C-alpha cells in the first residue's frame, strides 16, 4: 500500500470507530490524536488490532509512542516504512 492508501484506511477506521458523527467533518490526517483525546490506551490497542488484522502489519511495542501516533499522517508514514522494510527483507532472504 502507498502512504496515501494508509491515510485513507486509517481516516475511515478512526472516524467510524472513535468519533461521534458531528466531529467527523473536521477530522483530517493532521488532527492531533493524542492531544485531543481521540486516542487513549484502549483505542491505541483497538487501532493496532485493526492495523494487524485489516492492513496486515505488526507494529512493534517499540514504535508505540506519542511521536509515531501524533496524527493519522504520522501513523501512515510509519506503516508505509514498516511495509517497505518488510518487502526489502523478503527480497533479500
Amino acid at each position: 500500500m502507498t502512504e496515501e492508501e494508509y491515510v485513507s484506511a486509517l481516516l475511515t477506521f478512526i472516524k467510524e470507530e472513535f468519533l461521534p458523527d458531528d466531529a467527523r467533518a473536521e477530522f483530517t490526517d493532521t488532527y492531533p490524536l493524542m492531544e485531543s483525546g481521540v486516542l487513549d490506551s484502549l483505542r491505541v490497542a483497538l487501532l493496532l488490532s485493526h492495523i494487524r488484522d485489516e492492513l496486515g502489519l505488526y507494529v512493534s511495542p517499540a514504535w508505540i509512542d506519542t511521536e509515531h501516533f501524533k496524527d493519522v499522517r504520522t501513523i501512515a508514514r510509519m506503516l508505509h516504512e514498516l511495509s517497505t522494510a518488510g518487502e526489502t527483507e523478503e527480497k533479500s532472504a
Side-chain angles (χ1 to χ4, degrees), residues 20-70:
D21 291 340
D22 61 340
R24 293 178 183 176
E26 65 186 51
F27 187 73
T28 67
D29 62 340
T30 58
Y31 192 87
L33 297 173
M34 298 287 201
E35 286 179 26
S36 67
V38 170
L39 285 185
D40 57 21
S41 57
L42 176 60
R43 288 179 173 172
V44 168
L46 293 170
L47 179 59
L48 290 171
S49 291
H50 174 75
I51 290 168
R52 183 191 65 229
D53 297 342
E54 300 300 321
L55 303 179
L57 289 173
Y58 170 74
V59 179
S60 165
W63 289 76
I64 303 169
D65 58 29
T66 55
E67 180 182 329
H68 291 104
F69 283 76
K70 181 175 88 175

